[in-house]
Amino acid sequence: MGRSRRTLPEELLLLALDPTTGTTAQPQSLDLGLAGAQLVELALAGRIAPDGDRIAVVVPRPTGDPTLDCALELLRRRGAPVRAVHWIGGPRLGLRQTYLSHLERCGMVAAVAGQMCGVLPTTRYQATDTAISREIRARLDSAIRTGVPPDPRTAALAALAHAVGLGKHLYPGNEGRSSRSRLRDLIRHDPMGGLVAHAVMDVQNGAAAQPRRGPAAAGRPGQAGARAEPARAVPMQPHRGSMARVVAH
């Protein structure tokens, strides 16, 4: 996989960045969405494939993306297909920061240092190339507005955006209600994206221990109970330099 193309985790994170505050919308569910977006990206690259409600490695060859390859290797080590809901609900400490740091190194965002309550050091992120964010948003807007079935990548991005609750961030207020509804409907256009999106919602609703519900039974984010905060564990990739002390909301 060449690095000239943005990955789904990167695009999902750019969608979630608030251009005014420099923070990320829906930070808790976004962590789950990034783990799910990795699965979809690996599927688009032909490395994994759905097996019922499970994920199976079909081609263990590295993609060339270090973070995706870390996830692929962890999946390979499982030996047997793993339930998507268990994978997404597993420990992912540092995944959001890993992608923020990568976007900073690529020049797509700039880190802005600050303080919380005048004491705690924080870092917020501002998009430096707003054309990229506009292009990503335009793909979603086009799929919503035209009703034309989107390509698998855009369909998966829409499914993940809905699953993590970005609808109200992207299409706020009563005037955005119909767009939020159509965003949710785009989930049906990509089987892998749909599987992962439903798994993300199941984890938020505390259903990781139960068999995955069918699409007809899956509700909207946060509709069927309290969201479960992801477990904390060792980062998939180490932080670099001062980024280890960052608090990205």
Side-chain angles (χ1 to χ4, degrees):
M1 176 186 299
R3 293 301 299 131
S4 60
R5 185 176 66 186
R6 296 180 302 275
T7 64
L8 273 174
E10 294 162 10
E11 292 194 327
L12 184 65
L13 187 51
L14 286 170
L15 273 180
L17 272 179
D18 188 307
T20 302
T21 65
T23 61
T24 54
Q26 304 294 109
Q28 298 297 327
S29 54
L30 180 61
D31 291 341
L32 302 175
L34 291 173
Q38 287 186 314
L39 293 181
V40 179
E41 190 66 52
L42 287 170
L44 290 171
R47 301 310 196 267
I48 64 174
D51 181 5
D53 67 345
R54 297 174 183 268
I55 303 297
V57 175
V58 292
V59 178
R61 185 176 70 252
T63 66
D65 180 297
T67 311
L68 288 176
D69 289 341
C70 179
L72 179 62
E73 176 60 15
L74 290 174
L75 286 167
R76 186 193 66 79
R77 290 178 184 175
R78 294 290 185 95
V82 59
R83 286 185 64 200
V85 70
H86 287 164
W87 173 262
I88 290 169
R92 292 293 178 272
L93 180 63
L95 187 58
R96 184 168 18 127
Q97 185 57 55
T98 294
Y99 277 108
L100 282 169
S101 298
H102 169 73
L103 290 175
E104 183 188 15
R105 289 192 298 271
C106 292
M108 285 188 272
V109 301
V112 180
Q115 289 183 330
M116 181 183 296
C117 301
V119 178
L120 299 176
T122 63
T123 300
R124 300 175 186 271
Y125 291 85
Q126 300 289 341
T128 55
D129 190 344
T130 56
I132 295 176
S133 296
R134 288 197 302 269
E135 183 272 328
I136 297 170
R137 175 68 178 272
R139 282 164 42 209
L140 288 185
D141 290 346
S142 177
I144 288 172
R145 183 179 63 256
T146 65
V148 176
D151 61 274
R153 181 173 294 274
T154 301
L157 181 62
L160 288 162
H162 165 69
V164 303
L166 289 183
K168 290 184 178 181
H169 168 71
L170 298 170
Y171 307 104
N174 288 332
E175 64 275 14
R177 183 175 299 175
S178 61
S179 292
R180 294 195 298 270
S181 177
R182 288 193 289 270
L183 180 71
R184 181 187 68 244
D185 292 342
L186 290 175
I187 201 170
R188 70 182 187 274
H189 289 294
D190 180 61
M192 185 65 179
L195 167 65
V196 169
H198 284 299
V200 168
M201 290 186 283
D202 281 346
V203 173
Q204 293 179 77
N205 293 331
Q210 302 298 326
R212 188 180 69 84
R213 298 164 297 167
R220 299 184 184 183
Q223 202 173 39
R227 295 181 178 179
E229 185 173 346
R232 302 301 186 189
V234 179
M236 292 181 66
Q237 278 193 328
H239 296 309
R240 301 189 181 187
S242 61
M243 305 310 292
R245 61 178 177 83
V246 167
V247 178
H249 300 288

